[in-house]
Amino acid sequence: MKRFLPVLLFCLAAAACFSQKTLLIEKIGTPRKYFYHTGDYIKLRVSKQDTLLAGKLWSVADSVISVDALRPFDVQIRDIGSVYKRFYFPRKFGRYMVTGSAVIFSIIVINHLINNEKVFTPDLLYISGSMLGAGLISLSLSRKRCRIGFVWKIKVLDMPVN
């Protein structure tokens, strides 16, 4: 037991020194937390240069993160104005609905042309228009803006969190 304890402490210290840092965006007072690791897609607005950066998170340090848009761009954490969280299901659903709307529209139009009927009928606009509207609404709700300030905070964690 006396030999096992120092080895265990050494392993834990080594794991803490070489662990991957995690960027945490959290809403104070609520359980909402978003974790970002290196290689994750991130979109943020830098308030100092009033720039919108979108790309992969290249590296996370104590006070600087690097975003790889065309080249790695270093950003101070205190200069970040807002972070845009992307939700995958509404985005995917919206893309499918918009694509499905175009496919249904073209199928109905081709069917009407083949049968020598009036091309633009109410059923064409009801079906494809409602699918297009649902897709556009879903696409607009697939992103959330987290304004950094009193409510949303950015923290850098020294441990990997999944």
Side-chain angles (χ1 to χ4, degrees):
M1 184 69 176
K2 290 181 182 180
R3 292 182 184 174
F4 180 69
L5 189 61
V7 172
L8 179 67
L9 290 176
F10 177 74
C11 290
L12 290 175
C17 291
F18 297 114
S19 67
Q20 178 182 358
K21 296 194 181 223
T22 303
L23 187 68
L24 171 68
I25 312 295
E26 71 173 342
K27 189 171 186 178
I28 302 298
T30 64
R32 290 190 192 158
K33 296 177 184 173
Y34 305 122
F35 299 100
Y36 291 96
H37 304 286
T38 56
D40 290 345
Y41 176 82
I42 190 168
K43 183 175 180 181
L44 49 95
R45 181 172 294 279
V46 181
S47 60
K48 194 170 190 178
Q49 293 97 5
D50 195 30
T51 308
L52 187 65
L53 289 175
K56 290 191 176 186
L57 190 61
W58 186 261
S59 69
V60 179
D62 289 334
S63 63
V64 176
I65 64 170
S66 295
V67 177
D68 184 26
L70 293 175
R71 62 176 178 83
F73 188 74
D74 293 337
V75 177
Q76 296 286 331
I77 290 181
R78 68 176 181 270
D79 293 338
I80 296 175
S82 57
V83 176
Y84 295 91
K85 172 67 178 158
R86 185 166 70 171
F87 299 104
Y88 290 101
F89 177 74
R91 186 168 179 243
K92 190 181 218 182
F93 179 74
R95 283 184 177 175
Y96 283 144
M97 290 298 282
V98 169
T99 306
S101 169
V103 168
I104 294 265
F105 181 82
S106 62
I107 288 173
I108 293 175
V109 165
I110 290 171
N111 185 23
H112 284 257
L113 288 174
I114 289 173
N115 294 328
N116 292 327
E117 297 175 355
K118 189 177 175 182
V119 177
F120 296 105
T121 58
D123 65 335
L124 169 74
L125 298 177
Y126 291 153
I127 296 170
S128 64
S130 62
M131 285 181 70
L132 179 67
L136 292 177
I137 288 171
S138 180
L139 283 174
S140 68
L141 295 175
S142 68
R143 230 183 334 156
K144 180 180 176 146
R145 181 178 180 188
C146 304
R147 213 177 262 181
I148 305 302
F150 294 113
V151 179
W152 290 92
K153 299 291 182 191
I154 296 180
K155 295 180 181 177
V156 176
L157 303 177
D158 286 333
M159 64 182 103
V161 179
N162 292 329

